[in-house]
């Protein structure tokens, strides 16, 4: 089955936490190109922890945004509980958890959806993340023999020399974990195994 035949019938909810109107507006300009065609139920839900003045400004400036953007909750920042709350009210079959400073490549969400639909053994699709200079900043997480997580391709040490378009960086495959900065997951899966909320900030 071709990717273009699968994706329009799959609804997507973007879940973002923010307090920064500049970052939100910049991210929104790239979302519209991340799918070839949009579903009428697609949406962008925001958990807002910024000022009420900025919240009003964003709502006014994003009225004609598609997929539609709305501040779905106003709450103090806590990644786990914020995402869990947004997931519960999301209409999309696929949830895209995204940081407000992420800029999406063309058709990147289509590719993520395709992986989730076509490969039932995949629960989460992560992404290569790159800096403004095009260097790798995240390419999945691996675990050491001691059980400690580390960034695949070691962007913390080699990030200044690894280009994000290298074949070994671009290659898709089974990765045990990804960053919460950008990931796609079925809504049913996230609601079964929610983010842990006992951590102070993230979970």
């Amino acid at each position: 089955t071709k990717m273009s035949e699968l994706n329009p019938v799959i609804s997507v909810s973007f879940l973002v936490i923010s307090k920064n109107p500049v970052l939100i507006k910049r991210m929104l300009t790239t979302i519209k190109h991340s799918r070839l065609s949009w579903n009428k139920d697609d949406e962008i839900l925001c958990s807002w922890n910024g000022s009420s003045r900025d919240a009003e400004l964003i709502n006014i400036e994003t009225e004609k945004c598609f997929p539609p953007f709305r501040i779905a909750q106003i709450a103090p920042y806590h990644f786990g509980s914020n995402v869990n709350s947004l997931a519960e009210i999301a209409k999309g079959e696929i949830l895209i958890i995204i940081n407000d400073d992420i800029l999406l490549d063309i058709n990147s969400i289509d590719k993520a959806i395709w992986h989730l639909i076509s490969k039932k053994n995949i629960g989460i699709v992560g992404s290569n993340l790159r800096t403004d200079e095009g260097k790798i900043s995240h390419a999945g997480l691996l675990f050491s023999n001691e059980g400690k997580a580390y960034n695949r391709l070691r962007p913390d040490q080699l990030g200044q020399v690894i280009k994000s378009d290298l074949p070994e960086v671009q290659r898709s495959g089974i990765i045990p974990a990804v960053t919460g900065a950008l990931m796609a997951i079925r809504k049913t899966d996230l609601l079964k195994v929610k983010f842990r909320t006992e951590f102070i900030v993230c979970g």
Side-chain angles (χ1 to χ4, degrees), residues 51-173:
S51 72
S52 55
R53 183 171 177 270
D54 283 342
E56 291 175 10
L57 181 64
I58 289 176
N59 278 328
I60 292 170
E61 293 186 2
T62 57
E63 282 179 353
K64 296 180 181 178
C65 177
F66 195 84
F69 171 91
R70 72 181 173 98
I71 295 176
Q73 70 173 8
I74 296 176
Y77 177 77
H78 185 280
F79 184 84
S81 58
N82 293 164
V83 171
N84 287 345
S85 298
L86 291 176
E88 288 175 0
I89 62 174
K91 294 185 288 187
E93 300 162 77
I94 303 293
L95 304 179
I96 307 296
I97 299 167
I98 183 169
N99 279 5
D100 62 2
D101 61 346
I102 295 290
L103 303 179
L104 293 170
D105 286 343
I106 294 172
N107 295 345
S108 55
I109 298 305
D110 279 339
K111 292 175 184 176
I113 295 170
W114 183 82
H115 281 294
L116 282 176
I117 294 171
S118 62
K119 301 170 185 177
K120 299 298 182 184
N121 62 323
I122 293 178
I124 297 175
V125 175
S127 175
N128 293 326
L129 303 180
R130 61 180 177 267
T131 65
D132 291 340
E133 292 76 35
K135 305 298 184 182
I136 196 72
S137 62
H138 176 82
L141 297 173
L142 302 177
F143 291 90
S144 69
N145 291 336
E146 295 80 32
K148 295 181 179 179
Y150 66 94
N151 213 329
R152 185 171 75 98
L153 303 179
R154 301 281 188 178
D156 54 324
Q157 299 167 13
L158 301 174
Q160 298 306 309
V161 296
I162 298 179
K163 292 184 178 180
S164 59
D165 58 357
L166 293 175
E168 57 268 35
V169 177
Q170 290 295 321
R171 186 170 57 245
S172 293

Side-chain angles (χ1 to χ4, degrees), residues 1-10 35 113-114 117-118:
T1 305
K2 294 181 179 178
M3 190 165 58
S4 60
E5 294 171 352
L6 282 171
N7 290 347
V9 298
I10 303 297
R35 293 194 78 179
I113 295 170
W114 183 82
I117 294 171
S118 62

